[in-house]
Amino acid sequence: MSAITIITGSRDRLREHERGLRGMRPRGGLVAAKSLDDLRDQLRRLVDAATGIADGSIQTQAVIVDGKFGAGSRAFSVTDPLYREFPDGANSLIAMLQGAGIPVLVDPRGLSAECAYAVARAGGRLIKDGQLRRQVGSAIAHVAFNRETLKVENDFARGYDTEELGGAATVSAILSENEFVVSQLREFAKEHTGGLRILDLGCGTGRFEELLLTDPKLRSKITQIVAVDFAPRYLVEARRRLPHFLKPIDMRKIVFLRRIAEDLHFPRGYFDVVLASFGVVCFSRSHLTLQQVSKVTRTGGLALFNGYNRSALTYEFDAKIARTDNPVTHFAIHIDKDKNRMHLGSSVIDCMTFDVPSFENLLRLVGLNPATEHSRTFPTLYGAARRDYLNELASPAASLDPGREHASCHKPGTTCSTHLSYQDENLVEHTDSGFHDLIHKMDADLERVLDRQGFYFSVAAHKGPADS
Ligand SMILES: C[S@@+](CC[C@H](N)C(=O)[O-])C[C@H]1O[C@@H](n2cnc3c(N)ncnc32)[C@H](O)[C@@H]1O
């Protein structure tokens, strides 16, 4: 149930705000701290609760917060960092909440002009006398992302790995993307002398964290992966799943954050590499997301995108094979490219599709230079062939066994066998058995005959010298 959270150090203010929000659903968080560290801890817990990080719930529509809190003789402002990982206050209370798509309204009483300016620059709205209710209503109405999509994605998180890894065709698509991402990153890492700081946008259950931090050539080069998703339940799943497959030393390189792709609140040029993969670009408001990707990629840095290829969706069989009620069709989604909607089982979410050249042009507009010679599309079969047919082609060893314990589990225990690996030997088997190569070959043949490109596209781009 959605509510407006009030975070304040004063009981009187809490009551005052509650009165001002009549008709809405206020929820109070009273802070009384002895030291600055204690205060920071209390605020961190309130921010985590508001953003649903711990339990995956999404209950906050907006936050009303005091601009300044006192702890002993010291003060803490909402623009001060709550966590230490990022410079520029990217982990301040205000950035953490707004980065989760939650508007923040700040009580300016006790704020210096300098602080009020910092709040406004960070995107916080200063509360005006007698206007709280109107301001909250308008802030909620202008949130940059789609809450409906968030709900569908969040609900999808628990079954995501079984869905993704359960069919030969999907696995082939995953392997193709893996190949693309790893080869581009290895090439980039060769020319890059320092450690790599990577942003994984729409990290889901942490497929790329597993892939990259187990890759023998990349593992030691990576100093940090910031794994971002707007759906808290995905973050919960990723946090549970990854310790089984990654060494503790590599787990410590990952920072999980709930942020929305359209409004990231990271410092400009902070990342060497940004991955925006498997639909995050297509599910978010792409015109905003691409600007954000360009902003947070450092000059000379690399951005890798995967998305749905608009021109592949013109097959006349697309509508036939992609119907959700067809049990033999692997493909459980149907994209209506004219309405920009994707049907995911019984749910419908917004989904942009792109022709590769148009997507590359969009990248140029935001200051990213696509490496056109590296763009790829794959595989047509994913969208076109029937599940039973593809499963016949796959090796028998490729079927998944979720009850099996992981051979080299870094965190064995009761939940060990419930988590699926994207680097499992059965998946590797797909490659070794020739199945994956076969898919590629058939795909190339199909493309020759049909003169169409594959269902997914992958595009690599470098950040140009001038900031957009
Ligand atoms: C299809 S999943 C892909 C997950 C993962 N990258 C993978 O390849 O397995 C897309 C992810 O993007 C996230 N996502 C979608 N729209 C988003 C947005 N506007 N901001 C942040 N994350 C978003 C979803 O919650 C979901 O985890």
Side-chain angles (χ1 to χ4, degrees):
M1 197 53 89
S2 294
I4 316 295
T5 299
I6 303 167
I7 304 176
T8 173
S10 142
R11 218 168 268 285
D12 288 346
R13 274 192 198 166
L14 179 60
R15 278 195 287 270
E16 186 190 323
H17 290 323
E18 281 171 346
R19 276 196 302 277
L21 290 171
R22 71 204 171 280
M24 293 179 161
R25 295 169 42 83
R27 198 173 48 180
L30 207 55
V31 179
K34 293 187 183 60
S35 67
L36 209 57
D37 283 343
D38 180 24
L39 175 60
R40 203 176 266 122
D41 279 350
Q42 289 193 32
L43 291 174
R44 260 201 296 244
R45 276 199 293 278
L46 287 167
V47 168
D48 279 354
T51 52
I53 290 298
D55 61 0
S57 65
I58 307 157
Q59 301 190 340
T60 313
Q61 278 192 295
V63 167
I64 294 165
V65 63
D66 291 352
K68 218 167 200 171
F69 292 86
S73 59
R74 302 174 68 190
F76 182 89
S77 150
V78 282
T79 54
D80 292 337
L82 277 181
Y83 294 83
R84 299 258 176 233
E85 281 99 359
F86 303 110
D88 291 3
N91 263 331
S92 67
L93 177 149
I94 208 160
M96 298 289 287
L97 288 167
Q98 296 198 134
I102 297 169
V104 184
L105 287 92
V106 180
D107 191 328
R109 280 172 283 188
L111 272 189
S112 64
E114 204 181 32
C115 247
Y117 176 69
V119 166
R121 271 200 56 186
R125 298 151 177 86
L126 297 171
I127 298 171
K128 298 189 188 114
D129 268 353
Q131 305 215 7
L132 185 63
R133 208 168 171 283
R134 196 186 58 74
Q135 275 185 283
V136 168
S138 119
I140 292 173
H142 290 99
V143 168
F145 72 105
N146 187 331
R147 271 187 192 264
E148 245 175 81
T149 304
L150 167 59
K151 185 172 177 335
V152 176
E153 285 281 25
N154 207 41
D155 290 346
F156 206 57
R158 290 226 172 95
Y160 182 79
D161 293 325
T162 2
E163 274 288 316
E164 287 292 288
L165 295 171
T170 329
V171 168
S172 177
I174 290 171
L175 291 172
S176 298
E177 273 191 272
N178 287 358
E179 271 170 17
F180 178 78
V181 167
V182 166
S183 66
Q184 293 294 318
L185 265 176
R186 282 185 182 168
E187 205 174 301
F188 181 75
K190 263 197 269 169
E191 290 150 22
H192 180 87
T193 41
L196 293 176
R197 191 189 282 145
I198 299 175
L199 170 66
D200 180 15
L201 208 47
C203 65
T205 57
R207 172 157 76 87
F208 285 117
E209 285 64 30
E210 187 188 346
L211 174 72
L212 302 182
L213 290 171
T214 51
D215 184 86
K217 296 222 168 82
L218 290 171
R219 213 190 121 227
S220 58
K221 290 254 182 183
I222 296 171
T223 47
Q224 187 181 50
I225 302 185
V226 180
V228 161
D229 208 289
F230 75 165
R233 209 170 269 158
Y234 268 113
L235 294 171
V236 170
E237 290 299 318
R239 279 184 174 137
R240 278 202 209 122
R241 198 182 72 79
L242 286 169
H244 292 278
F245 308 111
L246 297 181
K247 295 190 174 135
I249 190 178
D250 292 318
M251 268 315 283
R252 285 196 288 277
K253 294 180 182 169
I254 309 174
V255 181
F256 296 98
L257 273 183
R258 185 177 179 205
R259 296 268 155 118
I260 57 171
E262 294 89 337
D263 198 9
L264 285 172
H265 291 269
F266 289 129
R268 189 173 283 278
Y270 189 66
F271 295 99
D272 301 296
V273 178
V274 179
L275 304 174
S277 209
F278 227 130
V280 64
V281 170
C282 302
F283 297 160
S284 67
R285 303 202 166 158
S286 330
H287 59 295
L288 300 173
T289 299
L290 295 181
Q291 284 174 27
Q292 288 286 307
V293 171
S294 176
K295 182 189 148 198
V296 303
T297 309
R298 72 157 167 83
T299 302
L302 175 71
L304 297 177
F305 302 92
N306 295 295
Y308 298 103
N309 182 10
R310 191 171 176 80
S311 55
L313 297 168
T314 54
Y315 295 123
E316 73 285 3
F317 48 68
D318 177 59
K320 289 181 203 145
I321 64 109
R323 243 182 246 134
T324 52
D325 56 0
N326 181 350
V328 295
T329 301
H330 169 72
F331 201 50
I333 54 176
H334 169 56
I335 300 174
D336 182 336
K337 66 171 184 160
D338 296 322
K339 295 197 176 120
N340 296 323
R341 308 282 272 167
M342 177 193 276
H343 296 257
L344 261 173
S346 57
S347 309
V348 180
I349 59 176
D350 289 349
C351 177
M352 289 299 292
T353 56
F354 301 92
D355 293 315
V356 181
S358 326
F359 188 75
E360 290 176 340
N361 279 336
L362 283 178
L363 295 183
R364 288 186 189 100
L365 283 176
V366 298
L368 292 164
N369 303 323
T372 304
E373 70 284 6
H374 288 150
S375 294
R376 298 212 0 225
T377 61
F378 47 67
T380 308
L381 272 171
Y382 179 61
R386 290 180 358 168
R387 164 184 248 164
D388 50 354
Y389 175 54
L390 284 167
N391 281 341
E392 267 169 37
L393 287 174
S395 93
S399 64
L400 274 184
D401 176 7
R404 201 164 45 96
E405 293 198 357
H406 319 127
S408 60
C409 190
H410 294 287
K411 205 185 172 199
T414 47
T415 61
C416 163
S417 59
T418 58
H419 295 291
L420 296 176
S421 169
Y422 283 84
Q423 296 303 301
D424 186 270
E425 63 203 33
N426 286 339
L427 292 198
V428 178
E429 189 84 18
H430 269 287
T431 327
D432 293 347
S433 68
F435 168 69
H436 183 54
D437 283 346
L438 181 67
I439 289 272
H440 270 306
K441 281 198 195 96
M442 291 173 79
D443 202 39
D445 284 346
L446 266 180
E447 279 183 21
R448 263 199 298 280
V449 180
L450 294 170
D451 190 29
R452 294 259 202 264
Q453 294 176 320
F455 189 75
Y456 282 113
F457 66 79
S458 291
V459 170
H462 286 91
K463 177 69 183 285
D467 267 4
S468 61

